[in-house]
Amino acid sequence: MLETRTGEAVELEHAGQAVGEAVEEGTRRLAERWEDTRTRLRARARDAAQATRRAARATDGWVQDHPWPAVGLAAFVGVVLGALACRRAG
């Protein structure tokens, strides 16, 4: 009977080791995927920031070259947004 229990204990120990190894492998893979995702998100954020800066420079250049149309466009946008706000409130 003691031999049976000892055999079962050995089997349980091996099973526990296998589970522990599987958990370690899963944790390692998850950490790798997390780092890969963080790297890709940082690259996309950097690209978006660069595109935003380019758009801001282009807009600034256009406004500098065409100040009165820019004022007219801003007034038009303000009137449209004001009309929409009044419609919602009323």
Side-chain angles (χ1 to χ4, degrees):
M1 183 136 150
L2 183 59
E3 292 174 8
T4 304
R5 289 186 183 211
T6 305
E8 289 174 356
V10 170
E11 287 179 31
L12 285 174
E13 184 178 339
H14 288 297
Q17 288 174 350
V19 168
E21 291 170 2
V23 168
E24 286 177 10
E25 174 65 16
T27 302
R28 183 190 60 76
R29 288 177 53 204
L30 181 62
E32 287 176 1
R33 291 181 83 182
W34 173 252
E35 284 303 315
D36 181 50
T37 301
R38 285 180 58 186
T39 301
R40 285 185 289 136
L41 285 174
R42 284 183 183 139
R44 287 188 180 184
R46 185 182 57 245
D47 293 345
Q50 288 173 350
T52 301
R53 282 192 290 274
R54 280 193 304 269
R57 279 192 295 270
T59 301
D60 184 54
W62 186 84
V63 169
Q64 294 296 324
D65 293 342
H66 306 92
W68 288 113
V71 169
L73 180 61
F76 174 75
V77 169
V79 168
V80 169
L81 290 178
L84 289 174
C86 286
R87 246 179 116 182
R88 280 192 131 176

